Amino acid sequence: MALLLAGCGVPPGPVRHTSTARIGGRFERTVRRADVLGLTPASLHSTRPSSIGDLLRSFPDETDSPADVGEVADEVEHSPDMLWFAPWAAGYEEEVADQWDESETGRFRFSPVADSRLRIIAVDKTVRFENEQGREFQNGLNFYLSHRSTARLYDRVVVTAEPELSAIEREGVPDEDAGVNLRFQELTASVRIGPAEVTVGRQPLWWGPGRHGSLLLSNNARPFDLIKLSTAGPIILPWYFAHLGLIRGELFVTQLETARGVERPILAGMRLESRVLPWLEIGASRTAQFGGKGRSVTGRTIWEVFTASTENDEDDPGNQLASIDARVIVPWSVQPFEVYGELGGEDEAGGFFSREAYLLGVYLPRIGPWHMFELGFEYADTTVFGHLRTWYTNANFPDGYTFHERIIGHHVGSDGQDFFAELRVHAPVVENLRLSLILAYGYEEHLRLDPVEERLHQIRATVELTAIDTLTFAAFYEHQIWENFAQQRGDHEVGDAVGFGVTWEF
């Protein structure tokens, strides 16, 4: 699929190949917020990570570009939304200009400090964090230091390396047993040739419009060591198919870890996404887990996994998941908002998936005329009543849909329910200083079909201060309340976490 699309489509405008934006990072969030406000040309935001260059191509800017970014920006140049957005976008002007600077064509460019991040988090008692790329946080002090460097050659080849040093105190054990580790969160080589892109190495993936979770692929588990074939960002198909708007296709294959019931099983996935209309973005995803030590993988195996023809058979060779998703942007001038959702199936019946889980969300990029506020709600449910522990489990794979013991999809797990609300309050920009307060509340129910279900309340407050455009200081406090902890009736636990971090983007 990705190969077919890449072979016949064309990008909407020339853009240099660049490294990817951090999933859930400030830049990615800023561009998506501008998209909901109607300040940017239509783009795709549900297949991540996105190339920084692809996001910049849809960035509102007054300079003329092959993507007609300036032309779109002129229409809203003096609108209240654009007047608010201009100072927030100031830090990316140089990067936007670089995309269209012909004097830089063909040159080797090395960015030794593309993205650096330091976090120190103190945990007291029982605290669990989600969507952390498999990072470990123990009772005591947790130290994480990462540094991303990138190299670009001939506008086509990008090499990215992000080593991360961690030191986990592990309170209650001798200091010499503290967990000190150095590993790569990302290490990739990516090549773009025309409308096609090939990536080899370690990279996190997130499929779907969810902001707090995703049914099939999220960054809750460690990044995969993968081979990925995709379109070179969004493309436009020729002839009549141009009416489908921007298209993005992606296909990957990886092997999971050795230390599990079935060693080194294969995980493969494919996704197709389209911005059909300026206000509608839709996508379809599918993943399959098969093979492993002692299990042969033949052409027939691959065909049965691809067609799901044996999904309900006892000798089915794999575990398959599928989902469809959509983002709907309502550009109401009084109150613009985004509604998004994902519907997934763990089984197949009658040519369509069954035993469904779903995710729904609403996002307000401002509240009425007040741009200082952002508000979002998201709800996910993986419970299939009448079928115990359906999602993320499979008889062929005792460890389920996990990677290094973390759920690859939604962090709430099987038979779970998750509600999340977040309010962001931004102070007016003063002399390139941007101050934000983020208040979040989460409620989860785990293993709801068991005799005892575990419940979790999460309350979090974060203060972020951005200076010099892309240098951000952040501090947070989180309080977690557990009911029936570890499914022990009446066992109530309380945990706290305090953290400080510094991030340098670009």
Side-chain angles (χ1 to χ4, degrees), residues 35-37 211 279 327-340 361-366 375:
D35 182 43
V36 181
L37 287 169
R211 296 169 180 266
W279 53 269
R327 287 178 66 225
V328 178
I329 295 173
V330 181
W332 187 25
S333 60
V334 176
Q335 180 57 74
F337 61 95
E338 172 192 67
V339 179
Y340 58 88
V362 178
Y363 168 69
L364 281 63
R366 56 176 164 85
L375 182 61

Side-chain angles (χ1 to χ4, degrees), residues 161-453:
E162 185 182 1
E164 182 173 75
L165 176 68
S166 64
I168 312 300
E169 184 179 359
R170 300 182 189 275
E171 199 169 273
V173 300
D175 291 342
E176 60 267 21
D177 293 331
V180 179
N181 191 30
L182 177 65
R183 68 184 306 273
F184 282 91
Q185 285 293 339
E186 186 170 353
L187 182 61
T188 60
S190 182
V191 181
R192 282 191 174 185
I193 303 176
E197 178 180 323
V198 178
T199 302
V200 178
R202 179 173 297 172
Q203 186 179 69
L205 298 176
W206 185 296
W207 285 358
R211 296 169 180 266
H212 184 60
S214 184
L215 295 182
L216 266 62
L217 289 178
S218 71
N219 63 352
N220 188 57
R222 288 188 185 182
F224 298 129
D225 296 328
L226 52 73
I227 300 174
K228 185 177 73 173
L229 173 64
S230 62
T231 58
I235 64 170
I236 298 176
L237 296 175
W239 193 49
Y240 183 79
F241 299 104
H243 294 289
L244 294 175
L246 293 176
I247 298 286
R248 183 173 176 182
E250 196 164 279
L251 184 152
F252 80 92
V253 62
T254 183
Q255 273 193 309
L256 304 181
E257 76 274 27
T258 301
R260 53 191 299 141
V262 177
E263 299 179 14
R264 304 291 290 170
I266 297 171
L267 179 68
M270 54 185 176
R271 174 169 171 81
L272 179 63
E273 180 186 11
S274 172
R275 189 71 177 253
V276 182
L277 297 167
W279 53 269
L280 177 61
E281 179 179 321
I282 60 175
S285 306
R286 187 168 166 211
T287 61
Q289 190 178 358
F290 58 98
K293 184 177 180 181
R295 301 181 178 184
S296 63
V297 177
T298 64
R300 179 179 178 180
T301 304
I302 296 173
W303 174 254
E304 289 175 348
V305 168
F306 180 78
T307 61
S309 58
T310 60
E311 175 68 14
N312 296 317
D313 295 349
E314 293 184 1
D315 58 349
D316 176 41
N319 175 33
Q320 302 175 57
L321 300 174
S323 74
I324 53 176
D325 58 78
R327 287 178 66 225
V328 178
I329 295 173
V330 181
W332 187 25
S333 60
V334 176
Q335 180 57 74
F337 61 95
E338 172 192 67
V339 179
Y340 58 88
E342 182 178 12
L343 176 66
E346 247 278 12
D347 209 339
E348 184 270 335
F352 194 69
F353 49 71
S354 63
R355 299 187 181 180
E356 297 88 352
Y358 63 92
L359 178 151
L360 296 171
V362 178
Y363 168 69
L364 281 63
R366 56 176 164 85
I367 299 180
W370 296 288
H371 292 90
M372 64 184 296
F373 297 109
E374 292 179 78
L375 182 61
F377 301 94
E378 188 168 299
Y379 176 81
D381 195 329
T382 61
T383 308
V384 182
F385 289 99
H387 300 276
L388 183 67
R389 301 197 184 189
T390 297
W391 271 79
Y392 309 128
T393 65
N394 185 273
N396 289 327
F397 300 96
D399 295 274
Y401 194 67
T402 65
F403 186 41
H404 291 282
E405 300 181 347
R406 297 294 180 95
I407 298 290
I408 294 170
H410 201 288
H411 60 268
V412 77
S414 184
D415 298 345
Q417 180 176 254
D418 175 56
F419 172 77
F420 181 77
E422 182 180 77
L423 173 67
R424 291 176 177 262
V425 184
H426 308 287
V429 178
V430 179
E431 305 225 346
N432 288 332
L433 292 177
R434 303 171 181 85
L435 180 65
S436 299
L437 171 65
I438 306 164
L439 302 174
Y441 170 74
Y443 172 71
E444 298 179 10
E445 295 181 357
H446 307 144
L447 302 174
R448 300 168 68 203
L449 301 185
D450 283 26
V452 179
E453 69 177 40

